[in-house]
Amino acid sequence: SPLPTFGTPGMRLFGKAKKAPSTEEGIQKIRDNIGTLDKREQFLQKKIDRELEEAKRLSRAKNKKGALQHLKLKAMYTNQQDKISNTKMQLLQQVAVLEDATANMETFHAMQTGADAMKQVHGALTVDKVNDTMDDVREQMAVANEISDVMAEPFQAIPGVDDDDLLAELEEMEQEDMDSQLAGLDETALPDFPEVAATQPAAAAPAAAKPRAKTKEEEELEALAASMAL
């Protein structure tokens, strides 16, 4: 059989491939690296400060060559410090990108979970089925309303019977009943009530009016009439 070549599935150059780190592991690894660079940057800052002080000291001592030598070392350390600062900035950007990607992934998983839950709730439910069911409900509600209307209708009149004739007959019956009651009142005698004795004396009759005194002419006429009667 032919020997496997590089790049074929049958052979790996450096053995079994390593499992890719998780997002959290990658972010932590970068933060650890940033911490190491911070320490390196602080160490270089101390060297820069020391070389600057030495250059100042030699400059005051009029040792120009020695001062330049220390300024060169200071520039070299400053250059290294700038490179470390740039590297840190790139690592911080990677952390921001990874954190943003992690947040997006968590949001995606949450949305996917919600979608799966909605599918499970809906199941075989479709818009067409809902519309068909609502149509059935409306149809049955219409049937129920029609039944209620029919049951609420009044009964039809009895064949051959006129309502006006019935009203006239009722009025005639009422008039006959009223006439009968009036006739009964005429024939009914008033009841005899017992005589009540007078408990108080009758009021005295008013005194007779006192006769008027006769005039002399009237007395003479009466005497004349009496004599003629004899």
Side-chain angles (χ1 to χ4, degrees):
S1 60
L3 295 174
T5 58
F6 295 111
T8 60
M11 181 178 179
R12 294 184 181 276
L13 182 60
F14 300 105
K16 185 178 180 180
K18 294 183 180 180
K19 182 181 178 180
S22 63
T23 306
E24 291 78 7
E25 293 175 348
I27 293 175
Q28 186 59 44
K29 185 67 176 177
I30 294 175
R31 291 189 182 281
D32 293 340
N33 196 358
I34 292 175
T36 301
L37 292 177
D38 284 336
K39 294 178 181 180
R40 176 65 179 172
E41 193 174 22
Q42 293 174 4
F43 177 72
L44 289 174
Q45 185 62 46
K46 291 180 180 180
K47 286 189 173 184
I48 292 172
D49 294 339
R50 186 170 56 249
E51 295 300 330
L52 181 58
E53 290 296 329
E54 191 65 20
K56 290 179 179 180
R57 185 184 68 81
L58 294 176
S59 177
R60 288 193 294 269
K62 305 300 181 180
N63 187 352
K64 185 177 180 180
K65 183 176 181 181
L68 290 174
Q69 184 66 29
H70 285 287
L71 288 177
K72 289 180 180 179
L73 292 174
K74 171 186 172 295
M76 182 184 66
Y77 295 146
T78 301
N79 187 29
Q80 292 179 5
Q81 193 179 48
D82 292 339
K83 290 180 180 179
I84 291 174
S85 179
N86 293 334
T87 303
K88 284 174 54 180
M89 181 59 64
Q90 293 179 0
L91 293 176
L92 290 172
Q93 291 177 354
Q94 286 185 353
V95 170
V97 171
L98 287 174
E99 289 177 344
D100 188 48
T102 301
N104 292 336
M105 183 60 66
E106 291 176 354
T107 303
F108 171 75
H109 287 321
M111 296 176 64
Q112 190 175 30
T113 302
D116 293 339
M118 294 176 66
K119 290 180 181 178
Q120 185 176 1
V121 171
H122 291 159
L125 189 64
T126 61
V127 176
D128 293 336
K129 289 185 178 180
V130 173
N131 288 330
D132 294 339
T133 301
M134 294 305 299
D135 290 339
D136 294 338
V137 172
R138 296 187 187 96
E139 182 178 355
Q140 294 304 317
M141 290 293 294
V143 171
N145 291 332
E146 291 179 0
I147 293 174
S148 299
D149 293 340
V150 171
M151 295 183 67
E153 290 179 356
F155 291 105
Q156 295 182 354
I158 301 175
V161 177
D162 189 2
D163 292 342
D164 294 336
D165 294 339
L166 294 177
L167 291 174
E169 183 178 355
L170 179 61
E171 292 178 356
E172 184 179 354
M173 292 173 59
E174 292 176 349
Q175 185 63 39
E176 291 178 355
D177 185 57
M178 185 179 295
D179 294 340
S180 176
Q181 292 178 2
L182 292 175
L185 292 175
D186 294 338
E187 296 176 357
T188 303
L190 294 175
D192 295 333
F193 295 100
E195 294 182 358
V196 179
T199 58
Q200 295 180 356
K210 185 177 181 180
R212 181 176 59 84
K214 295 179 181 181
T215 63
K216 184 176 181 180
E217 288 80 4
E218 289 177 346
E219 291 177 352
E220 291 178 353
L221 287 176
E222 288 181 356
L224 178 60
S227 63
M228 291 179 67
L230 296 176

